[in-house]
Amino acid sequence: QIGVCYFPEHWPDDRLEPDVEMMVDAGIEVVRMAEFSWGRLEPERGEFDFEWLDRAVGTLGEAGIDVVLCTPTATPPKWLVDDHPGILQAEADGTVREFGSRRHYCFNSAVYREETERIVSRMAERYADSPHVVGWQTDNEYGCHETVQCYCDDCAAAFREWCSEQYEDIADLNETWGTTFWSQQYGSFEAIDPPRHSAAEHHPSRLLDYARFASDSVVDYNRLQTDLLREANDDWFVTHNFMGNFPTPDAFAVGEDLDFASWDSYPTGFAQDRALGEVTADRLRAGDPDQVGLNHDIYRGPAGFWVMEQQPGDVNWPPYSPQPGEGAMRLWAHHAVAHGAEAVCYFRWRRCREGQEQYHAGLLRHDGTPDRGYHDASQSARELGAVAEFTDSSASDVADTGSLAGVDAPVAVLFDYEDLWALDTQPHSPEFDYWTLVGQFYGALRARGVQADVVSPESDLTDYAAVVAPTLHLADETLADHLAEFVDSGGHLLLGPRSGVKTPGNQLHENLAPGPLAPLVGGHVDQHETPPESLPTTVSYRGESYDYDTWAEWLVAEDADATGTHESGVGDGNPALLDHAVGDGSVAYCGVQPGEDLADALVTDLLDRADVAHTDRFPETVRVAERDGLTWVLNFGAESVTVEAADDAEWVVGSETVPAYGASVVSAPVASVSLADR
Amino acid sequence: QIGVCYFPEHWPDDRLEPDVEMMVDAGIEVVRMAEFSWGRLEPERGEFDFEWLDRAVGTLGEAGIDVVLCTPTATPPKWLVDDHPGILQAEADGTVREFGSRRHYCFNSAVYREETERIVSRMAERYADSPHVVGWQTDNEYGCHETVQCYCDDCAAAFREWCSEQYEDIADLNETWGTTFWSQQYGSFEAIDPPRHSAAEHHPSRLLDYARFASDSVVDYNRLQTDLLREANDDWFVTHNFMGNFPTPDAFAVGEDLDFASWDSYPTGFAQDRALGEVTADRLRAGDPDQVGLNHDIYRGPAGFWVMEQQPGDVNWPPYSPQPGEGAMRLWAHHAVAHGAEAVCYFRWRRCREGQEQYHAGLLRHDGTPDRGYHDASQSARELGAVAEFTDSSASDVADTGSLAGVDAPVAVLFDYEDLWALDTQPHSPEFDYWTLVGQFYGALRARGVQADVVSPESDLTDYAAVVAPTLHLADETLADHLAEFVDSGGHLLLGPRSGVKTPGNQLHENLAPGPLAPLVGGHVDQHETPPESLPTTVSYRGESYDYDTWAEWLVAEDADATGTHESGVGDGNPALLDHAVGDGSVAYCGVQPGEDLADALVTDLLDRADVAHTDRFPETVRVAERDGLTWVLNFGAESVTVEAADDAEWVVGSETVPAYGASVVSAPVASVSLADR
Amino acid sequence: QIGVCYFPEHWPDDRLEPDVEMMVDAGIEVVRMAEFSWGRLEPERGEFDFEWLDRAVGTLGEAGIDVVLCTPTATPPKWLVDDHPGILQAEADGTVREFGSRRHYCFNSAVYREETERIVSRMAERYADSPHVVGWQTDNEYGCHETVQCYCDDCAAAFREWCSEQYEDIADLNETWGTTFWSQQYGSFEAIDPPRHSAAEHHPSRLLDYARFASDSVVDYNRLQTDLLREANDDWFVTHNFMGNFPTPDAFAVGEDLDFASWDSYPTGFAQDRALGEVTADRLRAGDPDQVGLNHDIYRGPAGFWVMEQQPGDVNWPPYSPQPGEGAMRLWAHHAVAHGAEAVCYFRWRRCREGQEQYHAGLLRHDGTPDRGYHDASQSARELGAVAEFTDSSASDVADTGSLAGVDAPVAVLFDYEDLWALDTQPHSPEFDYWTLVGQFYGALRARGVQADVVSPESDLTDYAAVVAPTLHLADETLADHLAEFVDSGGHLLLGPRSGVKTPGNQLHENLAPGPLAPLVGGHVDQHETPPESLPTTVSYRGESYDYDTWAEWLVAEDADATGTHESGVGDGNPALLDHAVGDGSVAYCGVQPGEDLADALVTDLLDRADVAHTDRFPETVRVAERDGLTWVLNFGAESVTVEAADDAEWVVGSETVPAYGASVVSAPVASVSLADR
Ligand SMILES: [Zn+2]
Ligand SMILES: [Zn+2]
Ligand SMILES: [Zn+2]
């Protein structure tokens, strides 16, 4: 499904009908509305105006378009803030985050929860019987502008309460955190504060718990909304639009209260503002397929996922705003669908004349005429219709109603928000970044055409042939047992550096890293170091030399075999990589942050051991992905590429030659697809 | 006139006479005093001590030197702050700007306005009958240290009041700003606050109005002073010393209450701290002539302008303080006069032993002996005397009293503070900078020896042959009509990018850019983008290839002819430049930020169309400028240059060969001057 | 003596005995304890628990290990902060430095002084009769995390009091500071505030006095502790552990209340975070010997000094944490001893599992097994034992009990905290740094194998053959007389730039620089400048060309001879260096910040004039140092080096060939040692 985010309240009333007509022409099947609309829906306390929204829902519905509504809680209006200034968030130094942008409310404000209940109930009741409203998005982008962590007095009280629930008593907290260090003992839960401005860095255990608490506050707040919505109508789906490469809150935890997750994908922005290093010309034009794909796979669950906001053209917030490549907006829709998206909604319908996002394109220009994205969206809708038709006709199951089957991933990549938080406060190098480390392993899988589920380490791993854990920083015996079970029964695990270092309380384990994972790994870490780029950093692996960067461990092989050693620096000659046969499976441990070539070597060895089919290695701008028997060929580069597939493969969209920023779809297994004429 | 800024209060009483004697020896004709002197004039509330200033005024006057006095309001003394701490400014996060430097008062403090009235009246009355005091400078450098915008409660109240005066009612404000976006509607003027610290960026319309309000606050405050001064003596001139490349307040608006503007020129500082990119060795030694010249021309009005503070040697505040080139202090005086200055006052007379500016040179060393600047100032005074004598003798008007005629500029460059504020809050690229964009077009004119008035877009343009508008970002029909009238009656207009994008309320226009200017331009903007330096950026123009940077538009030619197209990137092949014959004139539109060569090509085409005489292109360190029939040749480089002029040209100062950092003056039209032996 | 910092409170009780056994095995003779232990010693107000510390002191003592205790005042526990939140420090903008790290108390809080008295007395009484406790460390690293300067109301009151004690009356303060500038006069001491947030920079005299006041506050606070400790037991030594390259407080002043100074040495961290420019691979592995040596020599006094914390391996706080070179932890111990250390205590015994320093190594890994540092420490202990044995056996004095004689330095380097503070607030160039300037001269001495005392300018200079003063920025007649006396009686002085510029009140002197030092120098400064790196900067000196950087003066030779002139820039041809024969001695003045080659030329000329023996110039990674008749050869590089000494020289540790990061000790005068095969 191709959809769009629509703000009818920004335009004259008589624009509604032409807009809907143009949507229908483009093949748009779903429209999201009412985000940020509180001030329009309730201009004064208790004075509601739903007429405009009723009319929009009705007109869209009658045109055959499904409506998704948003609760408007991300932007409490000025009268509400003036009534209750205490709902505003505070910075760590006490500065209040004032009215004038968005996300200015505190998740732990009891007053704001009441206000939320008031507006959400009212909206839910209003549309409970609408035949056109199919689902809801709660709020918008929880945590945007670093607003998950707030330091106000309400949060202080809530944090004390949270701690008292997490720990048996204050002695338990003191022991779990380890507060003897620097005389940080607490005499009671009452003595605990948020980690506000201090002369030096805070205690890592306190910081980790504050991150957990803040994330839990979002989960609670969101649940308040999902409960109210389901109470009004149990058939609606409820989702939330998460952000890309976003650290807070824990999307897996928030997701437990959602029917499925959705997220907001802005490839050329993310390539600039949430990736280390220089950005290539190709990424400026089309983004980094693996950075985007990783997020698709994080948010994809058993019920799939939606891209709730898809970049429609140039956007306002990255450092630079070059125009996307010709066709890139179509490429992104295909890419999302190949990764399992059930819907791709462009943001926004029309460039807004007012406010903070005037430099953010829409499918229409601000004068109401079609912009570059409109044509890409229309083409995507047509092509995805053809794809659905193809799979329907080829499906044996006559009950298939046009929806593609989900992605069937043979490999899981383990991703953990608590590891992310813990490492974020103790990176130990300016270049260390959890996303980068995960991305090195994930990208190696994708360069070999392998689909991966990105899941929490606690997930059921039974159905995966192989598991890649870029790091498992916080680890306990339960996790070790969980992984041992997987490996014992024939699973193959590839484990990255900085694993098993910490207890869940963020102390060092009593034994050397990888702590409770040491028996699985068959060895331990002797030393770690974080060399700057100016120092040479190479390791051997199975007889070849490879570069690594940022993080190095000198290992001791106990039961494992050393498959590689350091070839540079003070640690020259020490083991750097281990292999350990365990039960019917195996564990490979990599003690450095691998460069691309080493990640590829490790991943292909893993796939071969686990008997997972894969392609030859594709260049970084070309990606292939299989879903429901079809393989997408996605070109994120400025040069066209030609691929080969089996002779009887049928090209459902496009052909063997995929133009710059183009996409083709072929009915063939992914492993049969390769670059021609390399 | 050569002058100097003098602080007799910093030195022993018996130093006054020797100082005045040395001033007379140097040919100094005007002295500015009393700036920052409040604490000396009124050591305790109500206890005044004018004796020292009386004596200085008298001694100088008797020596034939004119005196300009300053109101000392930029530095309210400690006893005043302690009496009324509420006068202090506040940052956007609420932090108070405490006593200890300067400019710590809020323009909207009613208390401070009373105190201002008290001290200004007292001083004005004291010197109302002095035969030596010829004029006044109000305060000092309004806005220095980013103090135009204050966020205190007095400003909050004043902003509400200001809004209520600007808008018919709150609905009018809501509509003009466009507050439906992100639920930013206001229920009443009482609900409006200054844009204090917020989680994300503020609404651009609110920011623009806050900039207008803050600038208006300065205008009001300054008018309080000018009214008091004129009340005491209507013959005095009243001026204010503005700053270089300075965004706030609107100097044109403040200027309406002044007899003429003056400004403070520090070429080697400005070249470092208010220009993008690396600074050349030449600019470290002598500054950038076009950066300085642009400011001369901004502040020059019908009554000319003064350089109230001229860099006298090394200064304390830029990142680096290399010594100026040998003779540079003289070069700057000639440069100012060539641009129309009526007086050039060096700051300061003598290096100060105490306080924040110990590393700021004076014409004298701190031991009272002549420093490098003293010799340059003396020479300048002698030479400008010779110039005046020459023009007197050659003047047909016997009433001429030694003052040069003003600059007669054939071209206007349009400069708008509101555009500057609007673009400053939405640059859309780290490299976009209003000054840089204006500078590219202005520098091209100056490299061709053309004098330009830098004026507000609303100015009367009748007398100009050509007008260059580097951008007209905020535009309405009135402005469009004004320009159409100019062009219709034979004027030639060169218009730069990002024009006609916004309404005065800082919303996007209903139609595509250049909005109301589209009929004039004969086309519109299809797309815009801000490529980083890593992407190639070239356009063609009339068959040649040129580099551009930072900003690009893909244009659609309607009535206009495309004179150039993009030759790089995704927009390759789209028009980038337009020409449109309108009435008896023409409009050229440039949809990119031009590099120097493209700016030169555009400007020379414009000049040729408008029949404006110009020189060959000079290198960036050599500038020529004509005033009153004389042409100054100004060398801002480390190598001497030789020029040619007509055979009968008379060298009034210097000769054809202008040494490093030197200046010559020749009686010849500027267009007859060219580099020899290129 | 090799020692270690031990935190038994972080580990189970039954770990004490094994730890002590491993210490004995390693040859550790002294253990520091109880730092930061307040929360453990007094879990609730008035509830003390000394049992654990008693046991540790006893067990160590019985094993023959001396104990140094720390007062735990650097970390007031949470209950104390909750009882008295007023003890917390405040930033210049008023933000409170909250509980959660360390050093959160204000030195001027009367309440905290009472609390300090309470805990220090209690501890002192407890161990007054212990035969094992040999001394005390007060608090920990005064000023760490920039906490010497606090801006709270207690400090405001104390600063007013301090000012009233420094100055006769408020007129005296006004005159000394020079407050006429910008109307900064104060009407009374009551009107004076700390230099809190202001719109622009503060008055330099106010800043300098605030730095003096803040330093004095530390001196006072520390004296409170030393008095209490000595009252309990007069035989204990009392020291404090200062930091490296640390500007506040004045360690010489604090030191007057100590028996000797100690400091915390982290070579690979300091090389990264407190040095300008890029850090070499060698320094990442072993640090910069001269940066470390300079600090050894600053803290070394008549009673020697201790390294109270010696880097034991990788540490947590620098930007990067590469592993130190193999043997570097041993190298640092030898280096410290060669510079006169009486003890070297590694920090810490065992990597801590909890809190902020989990990424800081210990001699033991966190699992209790020996880490790299343990082996280096053991070897150091053995070798230093051998060295002591050698000097004992060769000593004629039978009373010698195994301690090496102190360092006998022929040269003094003058170092002044007030100069550091004054220059730090007015660097006048982003690259100007007092430590760098001092380091250029100091490093030149050390590259020639010369030991130097780094002392205050007021020190007795009688016994030095030569004195190097990298700068004497604040200077008065008393200082001039002191130096004149030294030179008159045959001393040789080398004086660097920016000397004699300021009065002690931080005003410019009435005459040109070097002000009161001008008669000694025999010339004065005509101009100064701070060229950026992009400008060429060379001078001649005695016929050779040399680079300099950052700071340049154009000099006028009066009685002196110009030994060098500028060869670049606008100052080309002006004198840059002077020599002046005075009495039986000489004064050389260098008007630029010298590069390494010029510093070497100046220093060797000085040494030759003063008849001080020195070596050939060693490369920057090799250093030699003589103490008690022995010469240490210290290799801070990744390549082994071979040296030559006299044929009869005896190698006490190692041999002629010193491996990478190695050290040898030879019984030979330093001047007889040279690199082989250069
Ligand atoms: Zn909160
Ligand atoms: Zn204000
Ligand atoms: Zn304080």
Side-chain angles (χ1 to χ4, degrees), chain C residues 88-90 106-108 150-152 154-155:
Chain C
L88 295 172
Q89 291 205 340
C106 171
F107 292 104
N108 286 303
C150 164
Y151 300 84
C152 78
D154 282 345
C155 283

Side-chain angles (χ1 to χ4, degrees), chain A residues 87-90 106-109 150-156 210:
Chain A
I87 69 160
L88 295 172
Q89 292 205 340
C106 171
F107 292 105
N108 287 302
S109 162
C150 164
Y151 300 84
C152 78
D153 289 342
D154 282 345
C155 283
Y210 204 72

